[in-house]
Amino acid sequence: MSISAHVRPLQNVSAADAAAWHQVVAASTAHDLPGVPAPDAGQIHAMLTRPALGSHRLTWLATGADGAPVGVAGLRVFTSAGQDHLAELELHVDPAHRRLGTGSLLLSAAVAACRTENRRSLITTAPADGPGEAFGERRGFRRALTLDHLVLRLDDRAGADLERIAEAEHPGYRLAGWTGTVPDDLAAAFAAAKNAMNDMPVGDLDYGSVAWDADRVRAMAAVVADRGDTLLTVAAVHDDGTMAGYTEILVPQGVPPRVQQYDTAVVPAHRGHGLGLWVKAAMVRRLRAEYPSVVEIETDNADDNAHMLAVNHRMGFRSYRRTREFQLDVVTR
């Protein structure tokens, strides 16, 4: 069959463009990930129109002969030192319009943009063993990392067990928590703890590293708030004032039943004391008190991150799907 789609870059994303994008993503998600909630229209609009941290975004919309949306692609071009070689691709084609060349057109536009932006590494995520994986591998993407996705149901049984964990004493440490921007007296310590994420397993991804400071953690919180989401943080603070570990939860705008785990990290010098489990259990307690309509937390872990997988299984998280990270090595000129 001949290619009938037309691909155009979105310079200034309109409400109609965002609605078209949402239509394609919702259809793609329902087909490829049944039971997984797709982002709602408001989340899509915020993602497309609000700035991201340490990056800028390029977007494309593919339409059919009748002008209806059939595919979308977004490229997040990282700009921070340590990641300025990297771009991340999101690509969806409506299932009713697949195998007609639309995905290839969108991918070609994204790869060309990587060359223009002098990005050597293009990474993307696809459901394990799904059509996106096969599409990418046929076009030169190599498998670099497998992620286990887990869900915790916040039922009474889980709550009672995790309440005991949250209440356990950890001599030399105290819990701290905040919503949105970190308090000024903890900003430097939080940034130092954030840098502990640079040793997280990333498989064979050419992911680079990020240097965090107080200004960057404040900027991250501002980006989340600007798109209408809420960021919750619970941290373990040592008696000497250093932050030993922390966990973050993103509550999307509208407070859907399922929220997303963001970072969890324990600083190397403080590992082996159960702090990761402690802060995560305290976060569950906080969610149950402040957001009683939330019934699930979703997280993901690299399949070789045995320690964090063990922590999550101890909490009651259960695996329900897998995704894979892929990388294309872009030849730049």
Side-chain angles (χ1 to χ4, degrees):
M1 295 184 181
S2 61
I3 299 175
S4 58
H6 170 67
V7 172
R8 65 179 175 92
L10 302 178
Q11 303 295 344
N12 295 294
V13 178
S14 67
D17 292 333
W21 187 291
H22 177 257
Q23 179 181 323
V24 172
V25 171
S28 174
T29 302
H31 182 273
D32 297 341
L33 295 170
V36 176
D40 66 27
Q43 291 169 323
I44 292 288
H45 186 269
M47 182 269 291
L48 293 175
T49 59
R50 301 298 185 182
L53 182 65
S55 62
H56 64 267
R57 189 181 301 277
L58 304 173
T59 53
W60 296 265
L61 174 67
T63 52
D66 60 356
V70 297
V72 296
L75 191 70
R76 184 180 178 191
V77 182
F78 291 83
T79 55
S80 297
Q83 289 190 311
D84 52 6
H85 64 287
L86 183 67
E88 184 174 23
L89 173 69
E90 177 184 2
L91 192 155
H92 297 272
V93 176
D94 187 305
H97 297 273
R98 291 177 180 175
R99 299 185 180 278
L100 299 175
T102 302
S104 296
L105 285 175
L106 289 165
L107 178 60
S108 293
V111 171
C114 285
R115 294 192 176 109
T116 300
E117 299 274 351
N118 198 31
R119 295 306 188 270
R120 70 170 185 262
S121 298
L122 176 61
I123 62 175
T124 192
T125 304
D129 306 315
E133 177 172 324
F135 172 85
E137 288 183 335
R138 287 195 300 270
R139 287 156 180 81
F141 283 84
R142 57 180 174 81
R143 188 183 302 181
L145 180 68
T146 298
L147 296 170
D148 288 320
H149 291 252
L150 307 96
V151 168
L152 175 66
R153 291 280 304 177
L154 302 182
D155 55 24
D156 291 340
R157 181 177 177 183
D161 187 29
L162 294 174
E163 183 69 25
R164 288 191 292 271
I165 296 172
E167 289 291 340
E169 292 187 4
H170 290 262
Y173 300 93
R174 63 178 176 87
L175 290 173
W178 60 90
T179 299
T181 305
V182 59
D184 287 344
D185 62 329
L186 291 175
F190 185 40
K194 273 278 186 184
N195 286 313
M197 288 296 293
N198 284 328
D199 70 353
M200 69 179 180
V202 294
D204 294 325
L205 287 175
D206 183 14
Y207 195 74
S209 61
V210 176
W212 291 88
D213 58 20
D215 288 340
R216 185 178 177 88
V217 296
R218 293 187 184 105
M220 179 195 70
V223 165
V224 172
D226 189 49
R227 66 177 188 237
D229 299 333
T230 301
L231 187 64
L232 308 178
T233 308
V234 172
V237 181
H238 192 264
D239 286 347
D240 64 6
T242 60
M243 192 169 292
Y246 67 92
T247 190
E248 299 168 318
I249 288 285
L250 182 85
V251 181
Q253 58 174 293
V255 191
R258 179 181 293 181
V259 298
Q260 301 296 319
Q261 178 77 62
Y262 263 27
D263 289 351
T264 299
V266 176
V267 174
H270 296 276
R271 291 173 183 169
H273 302 291
L275 300 182
L277 182 60
W278 188 36
V279 295
K280 285 171 73 75
M283 177 64 83
V284 169
R285 177 175 61 183
R286 182 177 175 189
L287 272 176
R288 289 167 63 87
E290 298 179 17
Y291 294 90
S293 63
V294 170
V295 296
E296 292 179 329
I297 302 172
E298 179 176 356
T299 190
D300 61 73
N301 298 119
D303 65 351
D304 59 352
N305 190 351
H307 175 72
M308 191 52 67
L309 281 168
V311 167
N312 284 328
H313 287 143
R314 170 69 180 83
M315 291 184 65
F317 280 90
R318 296 293 177 262
S319 299
Y320 83 110
R321 66 184 180 97
R322 289 159 70 83
T323 58
R324 294 196 174 102
E325 300 273 348
F326 295 86
Q327 181 170 311
L328 180 69
D329 299 323
V330 179
V331 177
T332 57
R333 295 181 177 86

